[in-house]
Amino acid sequence: MPIPGSGLAKGLAVTLRTMTKRSHTAQYPEVQPELPPRSRGVIGLFEENCTVCMLCARECPDWCIYIDSHKETVPAAAPGGRERSRNVLDRFAIDFSLCMYCGICIEVCPFDALFWSPEFEYAETDIHELTHERDKLREWMWTVPAPPALDPAAEEPKEIAAARKAVEKAEAAAAAARAAAAPATDADPGTGPGTGPGAAGSGTPDTPAGGPA
């Protein structure tokens, strides 16, 4: 059974320890803060990876992502092939006055088109200016930190493993083809044993060591 008043005593102890510490004032904006690498500052867009699947806009709880696109017909790559259509991104905007920084849009993006950036200095005097278009989101993409290095004991990514196996298979097939196309390495009949001067059946008698008699 807890002692009556123990919770109050613990709270006062924390207060007393804090009172004895010297306060530290961050000299912002002259001194920029050191943010952790996984800071949720703003969302950057890598539009080359965007396929306009609309998954991020549908999953957003605040409905603060606005996407517009149109379809274009791509001609066939080979004669007799079929034409295909693809989505072309016209607008990608995020209203950061509504965004609650949950990160669901980044998690559900299947093509790695959205990333967290630690950039946080984008305050505006007008709330309407907090809706940032794809050009601004693209600029923030270059502030996205590099991903951390993989653990040496971690399992190799399946994409890298598949690519490595494909390269090894192609190299093995090429080596087998070269070995099959190489000429036979049998000895030359004109240079083998028993074909030199004085050999039996060569038609040239041996000359005595002392010369002709």
Side-chain angles (χ1 to χ4, degrees):
M1 183 175 180
I3 302 175
S6 58
L8 178 61
K10 291 180 180 180
L12 291 175
V14 173
T15 302
L16 292 174
R17 285 197 302 269
T18 305
M19 290 177 60
T20 57
K21 292 182 180 179
R22 184 175 180 179
S23 61
H24 175 73
T25 302
Q27 301 299 325
Y28 177 82
E30 287 76 13
V31 179
Q32 292 291 322
E34 294 183 3
L35 301 175
R38 294 175 62 89
S39 297
R40 296 187 176 188
V42 76
I43 298 173
L45 170 67
F46 191 56
E47 60 182 276
E48 284 79 3
N49 287 355
C50 181
T51 61
V52 200
C53 65
M54 306 294 292
L55 192 59
C56 56
R58 290 198 300 265
E59 297 296 329
C60 177
D62 295 332
W63 293 84
C64 63
I65 300 177
Y66 312 116
I67 301 176
D68 293 330
S69 65
H70 70 276
K71 288 186 178 292
E72 287 186 355
T73 302
V74 180
R82 295 179 55 186
E83 295 182 346
R84 61 186 182 89
S85 62
R86 67 183 181 94
N87 292 321
V88 178
L89 184 66
D90 293 329
R91 185 195 184 200
F92 195 108
I94 300 178
D95 186 355
F96 285 99
S97 66
L98 298 177
C99 179
M100 63 180 184
Y101 303 91
C102 63
I104 292 179
C105 58
I106 298 175
E107 295 295 332
V108 301
C109 180
F111 302 105
D112 293 333
L114 298 173
F115 296 87
W116 278 120
S117 167
E119 184 69 30
F120 63 94
E121 296 178 319
Y122 53 95
E124 301 289 349
T125 57
D126 188 355
I127 192 172
H128 297 94
E129 295 179 0
L130 285 175
T131 301
H132 295 291
E133 302 292 335
R134 66 175 182 174
D135 294 337
K136 188 64 176 179
L137 302 179
R138 179 60 182 266
E139 292 179 8
W140 281 324
M141 184 63 208
W142 309 124
T143 64
V144 173
L150 295 177
D151 188 345
E155 182 179 355
E156 186 178 30
K158 60 180 181 180
E159 295 85 0
I160 298 178
R164 179 176 51 79
K165 290 180 180 179
V167 171
E168 292 176 353
K169 185 177 180 180
E171 291 177 350
R178 288 194 299 268
T185 57
D186 297 337
D188 188 358
T191 58
T195 59
S202 63
T204 305
D206 293 338
T207 303

